[in-house]
Amino acid sequence: MAILKLASHDVHYQSFGDASKPTLIFSNSLGTNLSMWTPQIEALQAAYHVVCYDTRGHGLSGAPKGPYALAQLGEDVVALLSHLNIAKAHFCGISMGGLTGLWLAIHRAERFSRLTVSNTAAKIGNAAAWQVRAEIVRSEGMGSIADSAASRWFTPAFCERRPNTVARLTDTLRHSHAEGYAKCCDVLATADVRALVHQADVDMQVIGGKHDAVTTVADAQWLAQNLPRASLAVLPGAHIANIEAPAEFNRLLR
């Protein structure tokens, strides 16, 4: 198990493929872990040095004390790249990981050749809803959140077609670190880069999900229109596009 030990917490990561090839680093969504990128690892590790990590508070990474901030989520990525002696990488993040990517594009563009941000927004949801979710998780645990996750993440057709995949993701959420999850909800309650996206001086790929009710196609269109150097693709599926539409997603990454 590969661990980066930071002053505040451990970062769990895995790498795949030839380290001499261009690096592509993946950032997971809220309530998942690096295993969500399995369809991308399998398809892309022959062409890229693929690095996946668990966001703080998720998977096998630590859940440090104190509040989290979007800047900390971004700096964790930079620290991991530096630890691996990677001067410049490609990046792909989804949902919360996509918002992390937007922060990196604005503040650490020099470390990236291109960033892909999927099923995300410059401001995801509203503060009150995230605060309520954090309170529920802290008081009731992860079960109540896990029970309703599939309807947010996937279309009904995918849930019917791939029940084992949906169950695996839901189970990961159910067994997530409750306080780590809640603290990331706190990040999403306050994170807002709408006034800053015009500063992202790096090539970007924005991916939306046609049936995504969490971060909508309109959110993706807004990003593509306001980022200085961005292209837009809309894939069939809902909020976890890399799993629901892996072939199309991998084609865009290639």
Side-chain angles (χ1 to χ4, degrees):
M1 185 169 68
I3 295 290
L4 165 62
K5 290 190 172 295
L6 299 177
S8 60
H9 68 293
D10 292 348
V11 178
H12 170 242
Y13 68 94
Q14 294 181 12
S15 58
F16 307 85
D18 186 346
S20 69
K21 293 183 177 180
T23 296
L24 172 54
I25 187 167
F26 287 96
S27 183
N28 59 283
S29 62
L30 180 68
T32 65
N33 59 33
L34 59 77
S35 70
M36 75 173 301
W37 299 111
T38 298
Q40 286 64 56
I41 295 166
E42 294 174 347
L44 299 170
Q45 63 178 311
Y48 292 94
H49 172 222
V50 175
V51 176
C52 304
Y53 74 99
D54 292 330
T55 297
R56 62 169 64 198
H58 288 70
L60 297 178
S61 287
K65 295 180 180 179
Y68 303 168
L70 181 60
Q72 292 174 310
L73 304 189
E75 292 293 1
D76 287 348
V77 179
V78 175
L80 180 55
L81 291 177
S82 297
H83 171 71
L84 296 172
N85 296 312
I86 298 166
K88 205 162 192 172
H90 299 282
F91 175 95
C92 178
I94 191 164
S95 192
M96 178 179 68
L99 186 53
T100 300
L102 291 172
W103 187 92
L104 290 167
I106 294 162
H107 298 282
R108 297 289 185 268
E110 74 281 357
R111 299 300 298 268
F112 299 94
S113 302
R114 183 176 178 85
L115 294 97
T116 297
V117 294
S118 180
N119 301 90
T120 196
K123 170 62 179 170
I124 301 177
N126 64 78
W130 288 119
Q131 290 163 355
V132 168
R133 188 182 299 189
E135 290 170 4
I136 290 172
V137 166
R138 286 182 170 118
S139 62
E140 302 178 15
M142 297 300 299
S144 58
I145 299 298
D147 290 340
S148 61
S151 62
R152 297 190 300 271
W153 285 350
F154 302 111
T155 62
F158 183 82
C159 291
E160 183 176 348
R161 187 171 70 251
R162 298 287 300 277
N164 291 341
T165 299
V166 174
R168 176 175 57 83
L169 269 290
T170 303
D171 191 60
T172 297
L173 177 60
R174 191 181 307 280
H175 292 94
S176 294
H177 190 289
E179 184 59 24
Y181 181 96
K183 287 180 178 178
C184 285
C185 289
D186 294 338
V187 171
L188 295 172
T190 59
D192 186 348
V193 298
R194 286 175 291 186
L196 301 175
V197 293
H198 67 280
Q199 300 175 15
D201 187 21
V202 61
D203 290 337
M204 306 277 297
Q205 169 80 59
V206 179
I207 299 175
K210 182 178 180 181
H211 305 290
D212 189 351
V214 179
T215 51
T216 64
V217 171
D219 290 323
Q221 291 170 333
W222 187 93
L223 283 173
Q225 291 165 2
N226 287 274
L227 289 163
R229 292 152 51 187
S231 58
L232 172 66
V234 177
L235 301 186
H239 190 57
I240 310 293
N242 71 299
I243 292 177
E244 186 157 3
E248 297 93 334
F249 197 95
N250 295 343
R251 176 181 55 80
L252 291 172
L253 289 182
R254 286 192 188 95

